[in-house]
Amino acid sequence: MAFGFDAFEGLGNQVSVTIPPDENGYIGRECPQPACEGYFKVKLGTGLPGVETRHCPYCGHTDSSGKFFTKAQVEYAKSVVLGQVVDAIRRDLKRLEFDHKPQGAFGIGLSMKVKDGPPVPIRYYREESLETEVKCDSCALEYSVFGVFAYCPDCRIHNSLQILERNLELVRRQLTLAATQDAELQRHLVEDALENCVSAFDGFGRECCRVCAAASTDPGKAESLSFQNLRRVAERLNKLFGLDLASTVSPQVWARADILFQRRHLISHKSGVIDAQYLTETGDPQSMLGRRVQVEPADVIELASVLKSLGSGLLSLLPRT
């Protein structure tokens, strides 16, 4: 009697397994680099169509899309395939069952029956929750990451400028809120908005230098560069990367931004009281020693606009990675 494993052979040389997205349409990915293995998610139906390569948002590693499946997804796929194979073999073996009744003087019968065993357990998993969702300004991919800054997994554009602009927009919204408050709270919110401007630029600048640190004269210093003092950071950028940050805006705009940075320093470290160092470094004619520094909403809006220009300028001058 001829017998073939028809069900098993019907599976073919390849078995397709669908990796389900999470409830928001995102699917997990994992960097294949052993030194990174960073987990992130991308939203199906967004970004570049037919992408054959993908980029790690954390380390920038580029590889084929198939290399970015997570360990949990691989284990899930293996369990699904194993379940299909075992089920097919069981169905083929079922076809071999027989039951020959006892015959002859000795009344010997013979039978074979394939018992159903437990199904192969499926290694289900759940995609992780991440911290920041981003829609790439360049290719429109929607992705999410741990932390804030990242490369786009589709086009590899770094999102540092996009995050800076998002934070500066939050500052503008904070000023709108401040306008509805009493005088004391309004002053506090406006001063806080000024600090948030500088903090946003500091985070942006640090990330840009971290990404490009290997191209500097001192990678260790480049990775720890602070952007809370414009004069100082301009000098250090020149030494580390040979670039002139001040050249990206006019001298008048640079001088004005420097004054507002110095006012932020007074608010953060001197309770907003003007000291001799501030007067010496800025030559601000509108300020008096021992008086409280004044910050108007227009000052913050002005600085936010300048920082956007400085951010674009810095990215244009730093080496590409």
Side-chain angles (χ1 to χ4, degrees):
M1 179 180 66
F3 174 78
F5 283 89
D6 297 336
F8 177 73
E9 292 174 355
L11 294 176
N13 295 325
Q14 294 182 340
V15 177
S16 178
V17 178
T18 300
I19 303 297
D22 66 14
E23 61 275 13
N24 297 313
Y26 285 86
I27 191 165
R29 289 291 180 258
E30 185 176 286
C31 179
Q33 283 286 81
C36 178
E37 296 187 342
Y39 175 83
F40 61 100
K41 293 192 291 189
V42 297
K43 192 169 188 177
L44 300 179
T46 67
L48 300 174
V51 176
E52 296 182 358
T53 59
R54 196 165 292 285
H55 316 281
C56 173
Y58 306 107
C59 70
H61 173 72
T62 300
D63 216 323
S64 62
S65 297
K67 297 288 185 66
F68 282 84
F69 289 111
T70 70
K71 294 181 182 65
Q73 289 169 349
V74 171
E75 291 304 312
Y76 166 76
K78 285 181 178 179
S79 67
V80 171
V81 171
L82 181 59
Q84 292 182 10
V85 169
V86 170
D87 180 65
I89 292 175
R90 283 175 176 167
R91 283 187 282 119
D92 284 330
L93 291 176
K94 276 280 188 182
R95 294 170 53 213
L96 291 176
E97 291 183 340
F98 62 87
D99 184 13
H100 297 316
K101 302 299 183 181
Q103 295 180 1
F106 297 99
I108 298 175
L110 186 65
S111 66
M112 184 184 81
K113 185 174 182 60
V114 178
K115 292 185 177 181
D116 292 329
V120 174
I122 302 300
R123 301 287 295 275
Y124 291 105
Y125 66 95
R126 185 178 182 84
E127 299 291 5
E128 298 180 39
S129 296
L130 298 175
E131 297 169 339
T132 302
E133 292 186 0
V134 182
K135 182 177 181 179
C136 179
D137 282 345
S138 178
C139 70
L141 176 72
E142 296 179 40
Y143 61 99
S144 56
V145 294
F146 287 116
V148 176
F149 296 107
Y151 294 98
C152 173
D154 267 16
C155 67
R156 206 178 182 276
I157 296 296
H158 200 269
N159 72 350
S160 51
L161 185 61
Q162 186 176 346
I163 295 299
L164 172 63
E165 293 174 350
R166 178 192 290 185
N167 288 333
L168 294 177
E169 178 58 32
L170 289 176
V171 167
R172 295 185 181 93
R173 291 166 60 184
Q174 184 176 353
L175 292 175
T176 301
L177 175 64
T180 65
Q181 307 302 313
D182 60 72
E184 184 176 4
L185 182 54
Q186 181 176 141
R187 184 185 67 186
H188 174 79
L189 289 174
V190 171
E191 291 179 349
D192 185 64
L194 179 65
E195 292 197 64
N196 289 339
C197 265
V198 175
S199 295
F201 189 68
D202 182 46
F204 159 81
R206 287 175 182 269
E207 177 65 11
C208 290
C209 289
R210 183 193 68 80
V211 170
C212 301
S216 71
T217 57
D218 189 331
K221 289 184 178 179
E223 289 186 356
S224 61
L225 198 57
S226 170
F227 279 72
Q228 294 189 5
N229 184 300
L230 279 185
R231 295 185 189 183
R232 190 177 303 138
V233 77
E235 293 173 358
R236 292 177 178 175
L237 283 171
N238 186 263
K239 291 180 180 179
L240 291 168
F241 295 99
L243 62 85
D244 183 5
L245 180 61
S247 68
T248 61
V249 294
S250 70
Q252 296 78 12
V253 169
W254 177 264
R256 179 63 177 160
D258 179 53
I259 288 177
L260 293 173
F261 266 65
Q262 296 282 2
R263 289 183 184 178
R264 194 282 318 174
H265 179 81
L266 289 178
I267 293 169
S268 297
H269 304 287
K270 302 287 183 178
S271 298
V273 178
I274 298 169
D275 59 10
Q277 181 180 357
Y278 171 82
L279 294 175
T280 300
E281 292 188 359
T282 66
D284 187 355
Q286 300 177 345
S287 301
M288 295 180 62
L289 184 66
R291 298 285 183 88
R292 187 179 180 89
V293 70
Q294 298 299 310
V295 179
E296 300 296 332
D299 297 328
V300 182
I301 293 174
E302 178 185 8
L303 183 60
S305 178
V306 173
L307 292 182
K308 184 177 179 179
S309 297
L310 286 174
S312 297
L314 177 61
L315 284 180
S316 69
L317 295 175
L318 283 171
R320 300 290 182 181
T321 59

